[in-house]
Amino acid sequence: MALSLDTYRLLGRSGLRVSPLALGTATFGTEWGWGAERDEARKLFDRYTELGGNFFDTASTYTNGSSERLLGEFARTHRDKLVLATKYSTLRQPGDPNSGGTHRKSMLASVEASLRQLNTDYIDLLYVNVWDFRTPVEEILRGLDDLVRQGKVLYVAISSAPAWQVSRMQAIADLRGWSPLVALQTEYSLIERTAERDLIPMAREMGLGVVPFSPLGGGVLTGKYSREDRNQAGSVAGETAGDRKSLNVALGWVTDRNLAIADAVKEVASELGRTPAQVALAWALNAPGVTAPIIGARTIAQLEDNLGALQVDLTPSQLARLDEVSAIDLGNPHGLLASDHIRTVTTGDMKIETLA
């Protein structure tokens, strides 16, 4: 079924309406060696909002603060129509250990910095960005709730954390009457489906909308990598020169398995007269539990290509082929619990329907 940016979806168990594709703004600014200059970033913002897009993703440290500053500048004239999501916990000041982490001091300082950089009175959605395995969950939850009560933050969410910690936090928030988590940001794509083991089922059960990052697998699913790009030694010429492609190779994303998945994506794209990026994003849009994959673009052409995914209608057979080539082993106990033997010993010969 064809979608559009103004086919809004509810975010988790909140009443917040967001576009089915979020615009990631880590490409706003060139401080990281790649990205869009101010004028090009403005074009990206204008085109996305012109089509009804309202969901933006950033962080206090993206492109050394330029991402938030540019987004705040562009959003100024219609701030209340937009949903600005930012994150805290990554180190803001090298040499200061308290300028990073999930604790209250880092949280408050980062939020104040984001409010200044975004030039706004409030943040729509604040993510705990990276789990630090040190701060008590009660400290995090109470700090987030305080920010909501102060009106500086409207909704809270989490990213890159273990499923058991997220579910524990949600249960504590519910029991104590604190602000619940409404979204989970996690890496998820055809080449990275491990979130299906616990994170996505947990999110669906606990009322968190899933907002995938890297839905194109660092660009591997666009078809721009070849088997010549593989480097078994793990080092890549020019990987420190700010080249995104070299970085992705160095990170180990260009493997035989991932290239085979990319080949299957290209085959489906050819059948539909679409681009591989559009097919890969359409698969993520159709995934159970997913609210809004995050797209990132440096040019208008890339943005338009990504947005074309909203018009892609994958057939059941095409979805099955993509699922098969990218399938992962869910591991224990998931494989055991899904086995015919376990179903037989728990239900006998009865067929029992479950709600999706």
Side-chain angles (χ1 to χ4, degrees):
M1 183 175 109
L3 301 172
S4 61
L5 285 178
D6 57 2
T7 309
Y8 301 112
R9 296 175 168 182
L10 292 177
L11 184 61
R13 64 184 195 184
S14 77
L16 186 64
R17 285 84 161 169
V18 297
S19 294
L21 288 174
L23 182 60
T25 64
T27 57
F28 284 18
T30 58
E31 286 80 358
W32 287 354
W34 48 269
E37 298 283 0
R38 182 193 175 281
D39 290 347
E40 190 68 18
R42 179 78 211 211
K43 293 176 184 177
L44 297 171
F45 175 91
D46 287 345
R47 182 56 176 161
Y48 178 76
T49 54
E50 173 188 305
L51 295 173
N54 74 340
F55 195 15
F56 293 87
D57 182 84
T58 185
S60 60
T61 55
Y62 281 177
T63 53
N64 302 337
S66 285
S67 174
E68 285 191 337
R69 285 190 291 270
L70 290 172
L71 179 57
E73 176 188 341
F74 303 156
R76 192 173 306 155
T77 56
H78 34 266
R79 169 67 186 92
D80 288 342
K81 294 175 59 177
L82 307 178
V83 177
L84 305 187
T86 192
K87 312 175 190 74
Y88 90 97
S89 75
T90 50
L91 195 69
R92 292 175 296 104
Q93 299 175 7
D96 178 5
N98 284 319
S99 71
T102 58
H103 53 87
R104 183 187 284 264
K105 183 175 177 65
S106 168
M107 180 191 302
L108 181 60
S110 185
V111 165
E112 292 295 345
S114 290
L115 290 171
R116 290 192 300 271
Q117 291 177 165
L118 288 167
N119 193 26
T120 184
D121 296 327
Y122 66 95
I123 293 164
D124 295 283
L125 182 67
L126 177 67
Y127 287 97
V128 181
N129 192 12
V130 181
W131 194 251
D132 71 3
F133 293 96
R134 291 174 176 82
T135 309
V137 295
E138 292 84 0
E139 179 179 340
I140 300 170
L141 289 167
R142 178 57 193 270
L144 293 172
D145 187 64
D146 285 347
L147 289 170
V148 172
R149 291 174 189 269
Q150 292 165 13
K152 295 181 178 181
V153 171
L154 303 187
Y155 298 93
V156 296
I158 195 161
S159 172
S160 303
W164 68 271
Q165 284 283 24
V166 179
S167 59
R168 176 183 174 219
M169 291 173 72
Q170 193 75 317
I172 291 173
D174 285 344
L175 288 170
R176 299 196 177 179
W178 292 339
S179 300
L181 303 168
V182 301
L184 169 74
Q185 192 170 130
T186 186
E187 184 176 354
Y188 187 53
S189 71
L190 275 164
I191 68 171
E192 178 46 77
R193 293 177 59 184
T194 54
E196 293 176 7
R197 289 179 177 142
D198 290 296
L199 283 166
I200 292 178
M202 175 277 302
R204 297 180 71 188
E205 186 73 18
M206 304 300 287
L208 285 77
V210 177
V211 183
F213 67 83
S214 294
L216 296 179
V220 174
L221 295 171
T222 66
K224 68 181 181 182
Y225 293 85
S226 70
R227 280 157 180 79
E228 285 69 39
D229 290 315
R230 293 171 301 176
N231 189 304
Q232 300 300 327
S235 62
V236 178
E239 71 183 67
T240 60
D243 181 85
R244 184 74 183 273
K245 184 174 181 179
S246 296
L247 176 61
N248 288 336
V249 175
L251 291 173
W253 285 21
V254 185
T255 65
D256 286 331
R257 172 187 178 272
N258 291 349
L259 290 171
I261 296 170
D263 287 343
V265 170
K266 284 189 282 188
E267 290 174 5
V268 172
S270 178
E271 294 168 7
L272 295 171
R274 295 288 182 169
T275 67
Q278 291 170 350
V279 169
L281 286 170
W283 178 88
L285 280 163
N286 278 280
V290 168
T291 300
I294 300 171
I295 57 174
R298 290 180 293 105
T299 66
I300 283 291
Q302 289 176 343
L303 177 62
E304 295 284 5
D305 182 48
N306 285 180
L307 295 180
L310 296 167
Q311 303 299 312
V312 174
D313 191 9
L314 297 170
T315 67
S317 63
Q318 289 168 336
L319 283 169
R321 281 159 52 196
L322 294 173
D323 286 341
E324 182 179 1
V325 73
S326 63
I328 61 168
D329 180 1
L330 292 178
N332 186 54
H334 310 292
L336 174 67
L337 296 175
S339 69
D340 290 337
H341 173 69
I342 292 298
R343 284 199 297 269
T344 298
V345 300
T346 57
T347 66
D349 294 328
M350 296 180 291
K351 292 184 177 180
I352 301 175
E353 293 185 357
T354 59
L355 295 177

